[in-house]
Amino acid sequence: MDEKRNGLGFATSALSLGSWNTWDRMDFDDAVRLIRHAVDSGVTLFDVAHYDMGPHAEQSRTDLLFGEAVRAAGIQRDEYQLCGKLWLWDYPNTGFAEQLATSFDRVGVERAEAVVVGDYFERPDIPRIVTEVAEQIRLGRFDVWGVNNWRAADLDLALEFAAREGLPAPRFAQLKYSIARRSMAEGSFYGKHFEAGRLTLQASDVFEGGVLLGKIPSRKIGADPGGIRDSIRDATSRVAAVAGDFGVSTSQLALAFCLAYEPVANVLFGVSRMAQLEDNLGAVALAASRGAEVRSALEDLWLDRDVAADGTF
């Protein structure tokens, strides 16, 4: 798997690995082997965060374990790319400089290629966010930034303010996007920016925490905007049947569906076993050869059509 895409503002792998509930669910030696194999297979972007605020006030060690595993695997910093997180739950009380210093120290790096900013309960000071992000870019702490599940009106304001002030604008949006959840990513609010080339899409939560694959997760998984998770559970047999028609696994099908959507620059997922990673790698070839067919076969499983497309859940 060596497909590279440029849409996040830099060339990176079409697939990337995330950190939430990932590395702390694995035996450490297994994590070392998995990360080494991912990089050797061309999966070179890692989304890594310090989960210590808001709904994520878990004090997870997953970011610490990631850094330790990278070093144990003998992976050099120029062999992989890092996408960090800047949380808005306690912003501006906990500022971006402080968050980055803590996060980078925990992973054992000096900078990231990108950061994702968000999400939030109440509308934050958007001009202040854009200005402070610009300062961190000026200081060399990362190169580009994106937003995570922002309300569309706030994204519009960020883009307009950045353009007016000559500051770096967000280059991508990390959104929940999957076979079942399409409203924000395919709706007109974000769609106008994808079509204009102002933003690209980083698809996240593509397996609905495993629910879309027919699993019953015992761990904490992502939020359920619109309350459609029961409908997703009911659709798993249909997803499995379509996967069978294509002769692939449900995870390959789910990833290929996302990869075949033109605005998608990168698809983020988590795995805890080598076999899962190996299987997921096959999604790139499936999307390239039969992506349009995959999307057509799953068109009827758009389950959040009635959920607000502008992020105002």
Side-chain angles (χ1 to χ4, degrees):
M1 200 291 294
D2 59 359
E3 180 180 331
K4 295 289 183 180
R5 300 188 177 193
N6 295 305
L8 295 185
F10 56 95
T12 192
S13 53
L15 299 176
S16 64
L17 283 167
S19 66
W20 190 44
N21 290 328
T22 299
W23 312 116
D24 44 0
R25 290 190 293 132
M26 301 179 64
D27 176 85
F28 181 75
D29 290 340
D30 289 343
V32 172
R33 286 189 289 270
L34 191 147
I35 291 173
R36 177 74 265 179
H37 186 61
V39 171
D40 291 343
S41 300
V43 179
T44 53
L45 179 64
F46 295 87
D47 182 288
V48 179
H50 179 34
Y51 296 100
D52 65 335
M53 292 185 189
H56 300 305
E58 303 156 351
Q59 296 303 323
S60 166
R61 296 189 69 250
T62 197
D63 53 336
L64 292 167
L65 293 168
F66 170 78
E68 292 169 6
V70 165
R71 290 186 288 276
I75 298 171
Q76 302 303 308
R77 184 61 182 87
D78 60 1
E79 292 185 78
Y80 74 96
Q81 297 162 323
L82 185 66
C83 183
K85 285 285 202 304
L86 288 171
W87 302 114
L88 296 176
W89 307 116
D90 190 43
Y91 179 84
N93 294 326
T94 306
F96 294 158
E98 179 183 348
Q99 290 189 47
L100 290 173
T102 299
S103 182
F104 290 171
D105 182 65
R106 287 170 65 90
V107 177
V109 296
E110 295 182 354
R111 66 185 314 275
E113 278 70 29
V115 300
V116 178
V117 180
D119 32 7
Y120 50 86
F121 291 128
E122 297 180 1
R123 187 183 201 184
D125 185 337
I126 303 299
R128 180 171 182 171
I129 289 170
V130 175
T131 301
E132 293 196 16
V133 165
E135 175 63 9
Q136 297 307 308
I137 291 175
R138 186 190 70 80
L139 292 172
R141 294 185 174 128
F142 52 89
D143 301 318
V144 299
W145 69 291
V147 299
N148 180 32
N149 297 318
W150 279 26
R151 295 169 187 168
D154 297 338
L155 170 64
D156 291 346
L157 177 57
L159 290 166
E160 292 164 3
F161 179 79
R164 185 169 65 248
E165 299 298 321
L167 299 173
R171 300 287 297 274
F172 63 96
Q174 185 183 99
L175 302 176
K176 286 178 178 286
Y177 183 60
S178 69
I179 292 167
R181 292 191 188 273
R182 311 180 197 174
S183 287
M184 281 187 74
E186 296 192 22
S188 60
F189 295 96
Y190 272 84
K192 65 185 179 183
H193 299 304
F194 297 146
E195 292 171 10
R198 287 185 288 270
L199 290 178
T200 56
L201 173 62
Q202 183 179 57
S204 70
D205 207 10
V206 297
F207 301 142
E208 193 77 13
V211 173
L212 189 64
L213 308 182
K215 299 179 181 179
I216 303 175
S218 58
R219 60 185 174 84
K220 180 180 178 181
I221 62 174
D224 179 17
I228 66 165
R229 190 156 287 155
D230 286 343
S231 297
I232 295 175
R233 287 192 183 94
D234 293 341
T236 57
S237 59
R238 168 80 173 132
V239 175
V242 174
D245 292 341
F246 280 89
V248 300
S249 68
T250 52
S251 60
Q252 278 191 21
L253 186 79
L255 289 167
F257 176 88
C258 297
L259 287 166
Y261 183 44
E262 187 174 356
V264 167
N266 179 259
V267 178
L268 176 65
F269 64 88
V271 294
S272 57
R273 292 185 290 111
M274 185 72 78
Q276 292 173 318
L277 174 62
E278 287 282 10
D279 182 54
N280 290 353
L281 294 176
V284 175
L286 176 62
S289 63
R290 305 185 69 185
E293 295 175 63
V294 167
R295 291 187 62 84
S296 177
L298 295 163
E299 178 59 30
D300 61 312
L301 290 184
W302 182 340
L303 301 180
D304 70 339
R305 289 181 185 273
D306 295 330
V307 179
D310 65 350
T312 55
F313 304 120

